[in-house]
Amino acid sequence: MFFETLWELVTSSKYWGTILEGFYTTVIIACGAAVLGLALGIIVAVVKIAAKKNKKLKFFEVICDLYVSIIRGTPVALQLFILAFGILTIRGFPLEITAIIAFGINSGAYVAESLRGGIQSVDAGQDEAARSLGLSGMQSMRYIIVPQAIKSVIPAIGNELIALLKETSIVSMIGITDLTFAAKIIGAGHELANYLVPMLFVALFYLAVVYLLIFFIRMIERHFQQSEQHADERKLEKCRIRMEKRLRAIDERYMKECTNGEN
Amino acid sequence: MKTDMQEIKDQAAAQKGEQEDVLIDICGLQKSFGKNAVLRGIDTKICRGEKVAIIGPSGSGKSTFLRCLNLLEEPTEGNIYFEGEDIVHTKHINECRRKMGMVFQHFNLFNNLTVIENIMFAPVKLAKQRLKKQKAHYRWQKFKRFFGAKGEELSAPNDSVAKIEKAAKDRAMQLLARIGLADKASVYPSTLSGGQRQRIAIVRALAMNPKVMLFDEPTSALDPEMVGEVLELIKELADEGMTMVIVTHEMGFAREVATRVLFMADGKIAEQGPPAQIFGAPQNARLRDFLSKVL
């Protein structure tokens, strides 16, 4: 029964079309929101850090604090509703854009907090040392603080992106056919009349994208970890393992040749 | 219009300055964190070639005083003159800081740079900045001349980025060789011992060719066996005639190297004088009490 339904789903081009369309919508919304969220997050974090040293920016700091606390203090579904039904109620305004803006604003608050946390986690002595050598605050930030903060920020940002991708599944609440909603359509009575199969099938799509994201995050992390502790030792260890493998291969070949010779 | 009296006074001050060759002049320095007053009015002069050791119980404001000297802490009140320039109110604080090397208790080497990059970074960055400015100026002059303006003699900047980097690298290697760590040039600071890190931190400050070195408890975070090598290097610098201000708990070292010892208590200079006097015949009751505890 289960496999029959699965077979029907996989072989029907109609169902594939619905799923791929939903997948496309989900990816577009997630990507758009990620770009908007990162941009917003960077701006808010920069303002917050700059305001610490410069009292003139106090006003902007208050705005940023308000933004972060309101966004983090209310559910994302509510924010989506307010934007879709309360603010961007222009007839014909593409709903996908509304979703991108809503999720972008939401994710910006979280990104800002993790960026700020990362920069504050760098020892204050690093900045002091840079300033004592006569470098400007900007130079110290750009060449000393940020490169060290990135290492602790990347995993947090990665988590935020993964969460964002999965959170986009609630856009069906404002009537967008995303990947999750596509599964619901396919499962309805006059289509497959089975919810379990399409939903499990769609889950694989989400899993695949999340794994891809994790893979990229790992790669970036590794790239920035090079200057971390004992980088040289790690390289040596890798080299040693490679050499051992090669030696073992030579040994094996030698043994084989010996036994061949005996035969 | 200056009055005669003022002129005479100015001349007298200038003469005095020449005689003593004052490098840093501190007038009525006060610093408070919120309601907590840490420095309560410090007046002293640091002359070229002098080695000043600052001692005192913890919480007496030694480190704060030192950090005020290059404006890592902004004084609440009072003035500091470095080579005659008021650095509390100047807009060129970065240029002033370049002439003052600072060594921290916790080394503060840049973790994201290798040892040689740590030493080269600031000199290269600042030289490049200067070169950029020169080039912009040169272009502007050329532009003006094109429209018939008579300007000063034109000369293209004859430096290049490669030259700057080469020079800085040579200097850094020379400095590293001097402290016997040339083989560690391309490792990251996290793989080094405390003593090695602190010596590199000293050399990093030296690479800017500072006029004065400020040491903020340079040996307090070190294992006892590493203290010697760092003090040795500081002593070498002192013997070469470098002006230095050292906050330290090493009384033996202060006695040996310093030309003047400041004893600080409760945010004030309680007593000062040559080490023989401070350690041999202390006048102040607080100082006597302090010395009896640490010696």
Side-chain angles (χ1 to χ4, degrees), chain B residues 61-77:
Chain B
K62 309 184 296 285
S63 283
T64 312
F65 171 56
L66 198 71
R67 289 160 62 84
C68 278
L69 287 185
N70 71 352
L71 273 260
L72 281 181
E73 302 286 358
E74 228 168 277
T76 332
E77 199 112 351

PDB file of all heavy atoms in Angstrom, chain B residues 61-77:
ATOM      1  N   GLY B  61      46.166  52.319  41.499  1.00  0.00           N
ATOM      2  CA  GLY B  61      46.047  53.088  40.257  1.00  0.00           C
ATOM      3  C   GLY B  61      47.287  53.074  39.382  1.00  0.00           C
ATOM      4  O   GLY B  61      47.392  53.867  38.467  1.00  0.00           O
ATOM      5  N   LYS B  62      48.218  52.146  39.637  1.00  0.00           N
ATOM      6  CA  LYS B  62      49.441  52.096  38.825  1.00  0.00           C
ATOM      7  C   LYS B  62      49.127  51.853  37.350  1.00  0.00           C
ATOM      8  O   LYS B  62      49.554  52.598  36.475  1.00  0.00           O
ATOM      9  CB  LYS B  62      50.376  50.965  39.298  1.00  0.00           C
ATOM     10  CG  LYS B  62      50.678  50.946  40.762  1.00  0.00           C
ATOM     11  CD  LYS B  62      51.669  49.846  41.082  1.00  0.00           C
ATOM     12  CE  LYS B  62      51.146  48.454  40.820  1.00  0.00           C
ATOM     13  NZ  LYS B  62      50.185  47.956  41.803  1.00  0.00           N
ATOM     14  N   SER B  63      48.364  50.774  37.107  1.00  0.00           N
ATOM     15  CA  SER B  63      48.066  50.413  35.726  1.00  0.00           C
ATOM     16  C   SER B  63      47.218  51.481  35.048  1.00  0.00           C
ATOM     17  O   SER B  63      47.461  51.825  33.895  1.00  0.00           O
ATOM     18  CB  SER B  63      47.335  49.078  35.670  1.00  0.00           C
ATOM     19  OG  SER B  63      48.247  48.029  35.869  1.00  0.00           O
ATOM     20  N   THR B  64      46.258  52.021  35.762  1.00  0.00           N
ATOM     21  CA  THR B  64      45.406  53.071  35.193  1.00  0.00           C
ATOM     22  C   THR B  64      46.251  54.266  34.791  1.00  0.00           C
ATOM     23  O   THR B  64      46.054  54.840  33.718  1.00  0.00           O
ATOM     24  CB  THR B  64      44.342  53.500  36.211  1.00  0.00           C
ATOM     25  OG1 THR B  64      43.730  52.335  36.741  1.00  0.00           O
ATOM     26  CG2 THR B  64      43.304  54.381  35.585  1.00  0.00           C
ATOM     27  N   PHE B  65      47.202  54.619  35.640  1.00  0.00           N
ATOM     28  CA  PHE B  65      48.097  55.732  35.344  1.00  0.00           C
ATOM     29  C   PHE B  65      48.853  55.472  34.041  1.00  0.00           C
ATOM     30  O   PHE B  65      48.910  56.317  33.152  1.00  0.00           O
ATOM     31  CB  PHE B  65      49.071  55.927  36.508  1.00  0.00           C
ATOM     32  CG  PHE B  65      50.171  56.906  36.227  1.00  0.00           C
ATOM     33  CD1 PHE B  65      49.868  58.209  35.837  1.00  0.00           C
ATOM     34  CD2 PHE B  65      51.495  56.531  36.348  1.00  0.00           C
ATOM     35  CE1 PHE B  65      50.875  59.112  35.580  1.00  0.00           C
ATOM     36  CE2 PHE B  65      52.513  57.435  36.089  1.00  0.00           C
ATOM     37  CZ  PHE B  65      52.199  58.724  35.706  1.00  0.00           C
ATOM     38  N   LEU B  66      49.385  54.262  33.920  1.00  0.00           N
ATOM     39  CA  LEU B  66      50.154  53.920  32.728  1.00  0.00           C
ATOM     40  C   LEU B  66      49.260  53.951  31.486  1.00  0.00           C
ATOM     41  O   LEU B  66      49.666  54.439  30.430  1.00  0.00           O
ATOM     42  CB  LEU B  66      50.769  52.525  32.896  1.00  0.00           C
ATOM     43  CG  LEU B  66      51.912  52.226  31.940  1.00  0.00           C
ATOM     44  CD1 LEU B  66      53.129  53.039  32.311  1.00  0.00           C
ATOM     45  CD2 LEU B  66      52.247  50.751  31.956  1.00  0.00           C
ATOM     46  N   ARG B  67      48.048  53.424  31.625  1.00  0.00           N
ATOM     47  CA  ARG B  67      47.144  53.376  30.477  1.00  0.00           C
ATOM     48  C   ARG B  67      46.654  54.764  30.088  1.00  0.00           C
ATOM     49  O   ARG B  67      46.303  55.003  28.935  1.00  0.00           O
ATOM     50  CB  ARG B  67      45.964  52.466  30.780  1.00  0.00           C
ATOM     51  CG  ARG B  67      46.371  50.990  30.814  1.00  0.00           C
ATOM     52  CD  ARG B  67      45.362  50.178  31.576  1.00  0.00           C
ATOM     53  NE  ARG B  67      44.064  50.237  30.940  1.00  0.00           N
ATOM     54  CZ  ARG B  67      43.712  49.448  29.922  1.00  0.00           C
ATOM     55  NH1 ARG B  67      44.538  48.555  29.463  1.00  0.00           N
ATOM     56  NH2 ARG B  67      42.538  49.561  29.377  1.00  0.00           N
ATOM     57  N   CYS B  68      46.654  55.679  31.051  1.00  0.00           N
ATOM     58  CA  CYS B  68      46.285  57.061  30.728  1.00  0.00           C
ATOM     59  C   CYS B  68      47.377  57.722  29.876  1.00  0.00           C
ATOM     60  O   CYS B  68      47.091  58.603  29.076  1.00  0.00           O
ATOM     61  CB  CYS B  68      46.088  57.880  32.001  1.00  0.00           C
ATOM     62  SG  CYS B  68      44.469  57.659  32.743  1.00  0.00           S
ATOM     63  N   LEU B  69      48.616  57.285  30.055  1.00  0.00           N
ATOM     64  CA  LEU B  69      49.721  57.935  29.355  1.00  0.00           C
ATOM     65  C   LEU B  69      49.583  57.813  27.843  1.00  0.00           C
ATOM     66  O   LEU B  69      50.027  58.673  27.104  1.00  0.00           O
ATOM     67  CB  LEU B  69      51.072  57.337  29.791  1.00  0.00           C
ATOM     68  CG  LEU B  69      51.545  57.711  31.188  1.00  0.00           C
ATOM     69  CD1 LEU B  69      52.928  57.169  31.439  1.00  0.00           C
ATOM     70  CD2 LEU B  69      51.536  59.212  31.384  1.00  0.00           C
ATOM     71  N   ASN B  70      49.000  56.717  27.345  1.00  0.00           N
ATOM     72  CA  ASN B  70      48.748  56.693  25.901  1.00  0.00           C
ATOM     73  C   ASN B  70      47.257  56.632  25.596  1.00  0.00           C
ATOM     74  O   ASN B  70      46.834  56.135  24.571  1.00  0.00           O
ATOM     75  CB  ASN B  70      49.543  55.592  25.196  1.00  0.00           C
ATOM     76  CG  ASN B  70      49.030  54.218  25.526  1.00  0.00           C
ATOM     77  OD1 ASN B  70      48.175  54.062  26.379  1.00  0.00           O
ATOM     78  ND2 ASN B  70      49.534  53.221  24.838  1.00  0.00           N
ATOM     79  N   LEU B  71      46.484  57.158  26.528  1.00  0.00           N
ATOM     80  CA  LEU B  71      45.054  57.404  26.296  1.00  0.00           C
ATOM     81  C   LEU B  71      44.228  56.141  26.058  1.00  0.00           C
ATOM     82  O   LEU B  71      43.191  56.189  25.433  1.00  0.00           O
ATOM     83  CB  LEU B  71      44.861  58.356  25.107  1.00  0.00           C
ATOM     84  CG  LEU B  71      44.877  59.863  25.352  1.00  0.00           C
ATOM     85  CD1 LEU B  71      43.507  60.423  25.414  1.00  0.00           C
ATOM     86  CD2 LEU B  71      45.693  60.290  26.504  1.00  0.00           C
ATOM     87  N   LEU B  72      44.728  54.984  26.525  1.00  0.00           N
ATOM     88  CA  LEU B  72      43.860  53.811  26.477  1.00  0.00           C
ATOM     89  C   LEU B  72      42.719  54.016  27.466  1.00  0.00           C
ATOM     90  O   LEU B  72      41.624  53.503  27.302  1.00  0.00           O
ATOM     91  CB  LEU B  72      44.627  52.539  26.814  1.00  0.00           C
ATOM     92  CG  LEU B  72      45.472  51.957  25.675  1.00  0.00           C
ATOM     93  CD1 LEU B  72      46.167  50.695  26.100  1.00  0.00           C
ATOM     94  CD2 LEU B  72      44.646  51.711  24.440  1.00  0.00           C
ATOM     95  N   GLU B  73      43.010  54.761  28.522  1.00  0.00           N
ATOM     96  CA  GLU B  73      41.945  55.260  29.398  1.00  0.00           C
ATOM     97  C   GLU B  73      41.924  56.774  29.234  1.00  0.00           C
ATOM     98  O   GLU B  73      42.977  57.413  29.276  1.00  0.00           O
ATOM     99  CB  GLU B  73      42.233  54.937  30.879  1.00  0.00           C
ATOM    100  CG  GLU B  73      42.403  53.479  31.194  1.00  0.00           C
ATOM    101  CD  GLU B  73      41.106  52.712  31.185  1.00  0.00           C
ATOM    102  OE1 GLU B  73      40.040  53.336  30.969  1.00  0.00           O
ATOM    103  OE2 GLU B  73      41.163  51.488  31.381  1.00  0.00           O
ATOM    104  N   GLU B  74      40.759  57.333  29.049  1.00  0.00           N
ATOM    105  CA  GLU B  74      40.682  58.777  28.890  1.00  0.00           C
ATOM    106  C   GLU B  74      40.649  59.432  30.259  1.00  0.00           C
ATOM    107  O   GLU B  74      39.777  59.103  31.068  1.00  0.00           O
ATOM    108  CB  GLU B  74      39.419  59.132  28.116  1.00  0.00           C
ATOM    109  CG  GLU B  74      39.710  60.096  26.993  1.00  0.00           C
ATOM    110  CD  GLU B  74      38.524  60.214  26.077  1.00  0.00           C
ATOM    111  OE1 GLU B  74      38.362  59.372  25.185  1.00  0.00           O
ATOM    112  OE2 GLU B  74      37.744  61.154  26.282  1.00  0.00           O
ATOM    113  N   PRO B  75      41.576  60.339  30.548  1.00  0.00           N
ATOM    114  CA  PRO B  75      41.588  60.989  31.860  1.00  0.00           C
ATOM    115  C   PRO B  75      40.320  61.814  32.056  1.00  0.00           C
ATOM    116  O   PRO B  75      39.788  62.374  31.104  1.00  0.00           O
ATOM    117  CB  PRO B  75      42.803  61.905  31.785  1.00  0.00           C
ATOM    118  CG  PRO B  75      43.620  61.410  30.657  1.00  0.00           C
ATOM    119  CD  PRO B  75      42.688  60.758  29.706  1.00  0.00           C
ATOM    120  N   THR B  76      39.846  61.846  33.298  1.00  0.00           N
ATOM    121  CA  THR B  76      38.673  62.661  33.595  1.00  0.00           C
ATOM    122  C   THR B  76      39.067  64.129  33.698  1.00  0.00           C
ATOM    123  O   THR B  76      38.312  65.021  33.355  1.00  0.00           O
ATOM    124  CB  THR B  76      38.054  62.226  34.942  1.00  0.00           C
ATOM    125  OG1 THR B  76      38.358  60.858  35.154  1.00  0.00           O
ATOM    126  CG2 THR B  76      36.568  62.397  34.945  1.00  0.00           C
ATOM    127  N   GLU B  77      40.256  64.347  34.181  1.00  0.00           N
ATOM    128  CA  GLU B  77      40.707  65.716  34.399  1.00  0.00           C
ATOM    129  C   GLU B  77      42.227  65.756  34.236  1.00  0.00           C
ATOM    130  O   GLU B  77      42.889  64.747  34.424  1.00  0.00           O
ATOM    131  CB  GLU B  77      40.331  66.155  35.821  1.00  0.00           C
ATOM    132  CG  GLU B  77      40.313  67.623  36.031  1.00  0.00           C
ATOM    133  CD  GLU B  77      38.899  68.143  36.279  1.00  0.00           C
ATOM    134  OE1 GLU B  77      37.910  67.399  36.116  1.00  0.00           O
ATOM    135  OE2 GLU B  77      38.797  69.294  36.624  1.00  0.00           O
TER     136      GLU B  77
END
